[in-house]
C-alpha cells in the first residue's frame, strides 16, 4: 500500500489494552530510503512523552487501503511495554547505542546487523564513550543517516540547472517500508503544481543547507511527471 505520509500523521495508535497516542513523525534512512520508525506522541498518558515504534511493532495489514482513517492502527505491543521502553530525546538525532538498547528491550533483530549478514559486510562499530568529538553538528555516536520526514519537509529541491521546488511530502510504500518518491511543490515555472521525484534520483541531502539535490534538470523532472 502506498500513501502520502501526511495522511499518516495524526493517526491514532492502539494496543489490545487501549489507545495510547497518535503518529507524530516518521524516521527514515536517507541512504536506503527505508522507514525505520514511526514516532508516537503519547499525549496525556505519559505526559507528552514521545516513543519510537519500529516497523516490527505493526501488525500485518495494519495499513491496508481499506482501513478506515479514524480507526486506531494496531500495534503488537502492550501499554506496559511501551511505558517501560527506552526514552528518546526528541531534540537530537537518534544514536546507534540507543538503537541497540531499544532492539534488545523488545527482542527484535537489529536491522544493520541483518543487512551485514545478507551482504557479507562488516557490522558498523558502536561507540561507547560519552566524550566523543562532535562532527558537523552531530556527535559521532549519532546515526547520521536517520532522519525525520517532518524536519526534511520544506527543504529546497535543487536540480542540475535550477531549484525545482520544495519538499512537500513523502510517498511511503508501507508493505516494503520504503519511501520511493518525494512530493515536490514546484515553483512558478510549473504553474505551482506538484511533482513526484524518485528517491533513486536523489544524490544528496544537506541538513546544513536544508536542500535535497538531484542530478536531473528541471525539464527532466517535469518530463518524468508528464
Amino acid at each position: 500500500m502506498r500513501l502520502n505520509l501526511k495522511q499518516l500523521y495524526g493517526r491514532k495508535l492502539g494496543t489490545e489494552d487501549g489507545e495510547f497516542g497518535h503518529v507524530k513523525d516518521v524516521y527514515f534512512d536517507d541512504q536506503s530510503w527505508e522507514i525505520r520508525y514511526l514516532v508516537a506522541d503519547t499525549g496525556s498518558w505519559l505526559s507528552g512523552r514521545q516513543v519510537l515504534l519500529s516497523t516490527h511493532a505493526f501488525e500485518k495489514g495494519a495499513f491496508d487501503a481499506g482501513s478506515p482513517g479514524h480507526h486506531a492502527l494496531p500495534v503488537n505491543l502492550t501499554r506496559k511495554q511501551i511505558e517501560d521502553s527506552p526514552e528518546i530525546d526528541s531534540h537530537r538525532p537518534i544514536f546507534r547505542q540507543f538503537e541497540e538498547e531499544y532492539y534488545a528491550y523488545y527482542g527484535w533483530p537489529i536491522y544493520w546487523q541483518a543487512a551485514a549478514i545478507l551482504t557479507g559486510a562488516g557490522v558498523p562499530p558502536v561507540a561507547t564513550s560519552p566524550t566523543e568529538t562532535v562532527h558537523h553538528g552531530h556527535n559521532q555516536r549519532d546515526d547520521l543517516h536517520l532522519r525525520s520526514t517532518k524536519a526534511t519537509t520544506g527543504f529546497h529541491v535543487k536540480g542540475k540547472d535550477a531549484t525545482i521546488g520544495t519538499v512537500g511530502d513523502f510517498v511511503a510504500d508501507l508493505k516494503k517500508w520504503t519511501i520511493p518518491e518525494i512530493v515536490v511543490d514546484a515553483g512558478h515555472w510549473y504553474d505551482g503544481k506538484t511533482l513526484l521525484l524518485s528517491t533513486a534520483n536523489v544524490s544528496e541531502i544537506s541538513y546544513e543547507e536544508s536542500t535535497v539535490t538531484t542530478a536531473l534538470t528541471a525539464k527532466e523532472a517535469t518530463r518524468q511527471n508528464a
Side-chain angles (χ1 to χ4, degrees):
M1 173 192 175
R2 289 194 178 195
L3 55 70
N4 286 8
L5 284 179
K6 283 185 178 179
Q7 297 176 261
L8 197 58
Y9 302 148
R11 283 289 301 271
K12 294 179 180 179
L13 296 157
T15 65
E16 291 183 359
D17 42 358
E19 294 183 3
F20 66 90
H22 64 271
V23 178
K24 183 178 179 64
D25 202 350
V26 174
Y27 287 169
F28 68 99
D29 184 309
D30 68 4
Q31 290 189 322
S32 66
W33 292 94
E34 293 179 86
I35 294 172
R36 298 300 184 196
Y37 305 101
L38 270 62
V39 181
D41 188 325
T42 60
S44 59
W45 172 42
L46 296 177
S47 300
R49 175 183 155 195
Q50 295 179 21
V51 297
L52 285 187
L53 296 173
S54 165
T55 56
H56 293 292
F58 292 92
E59 294 183 3
K60 188 177 181 180
F63 300 92
D64 284 347
S67 176
H70 62 277
H71 285 181
L73 296 170
V75 178
N76 285 322
L77 300 172
T78 66
R79 287 169 65 91
K80 179 64 173 173
Q81 283 178 300
I82 294 168
E83 185 175 2
D84 293 341
S85 66
E87 293 192 36
I88 63 170
D89 182 348
S90 60
H91 299 292
R92 61 166 294 171
I94 294 171
F95 54 89
R96 191 51 64 83
Q97 185 174 335
F98 169 86
E99 289 189 278
E100 283 200 327
E101 295 171 358
Y102 176 85
Y103 279 89
Y105 171 77
Y106 284 115
W108 291 327
I110 299 176
Y111 62 85
W112 66 84
Q113 291 182 347
I117 292 171
L118 289 174
T119 62
V123 178
V126 178
T128 57
S129 170
T131 59
E132 292 185 70
T133 58
V134 172
H135 180 66
H136 294 302
H138 300 289
N139 189 285
Q140 288 182 1
R141 289 168 46 187
D142 298 335
D143 185 344
L144 301 184
H145 301 294
L146 198 59
R147 301 299 178 181
S148 155
T149 53
K150 278 197 169 180
T152 311
T153 299
F155 278 21
H156 290 282
V157 180
K158 295 173 61 177
K160 188 176 182 180
D161 58 344
T163 296
I164 299 171
T166 58
V167 176
D169 201 352
F170 298 84
V171 177
D173 183 330
L174 296 178
K175 288 191 179 295
K176 297 180 180 178
W177 290 108
T178 59
I179 296 178
E181 294 172 316
I182 295 174
V183 179
V184 181
D185 293 332
H188 63 278
W189 57 270
Y190 196 58
D191 298 326
K193 297 179 181 178
T194 59
L195 301 172
L196 292 178
L197 174 67
S198 170
T199 52
N201 290 323
V202 173
S203 54
E204 180 186 9
I205 300 179
S206 170
Y207 298 92
E208 289 78 11
E209 299 179 5
S210 299
T211 56
V212 174
T213 302
T214 174
L216 299 177
T217 65
K219 285 186 176 180
E220 287 172 335
T222 305
R223 194 178 304 123
Q224 290 192 356
N225 285 262

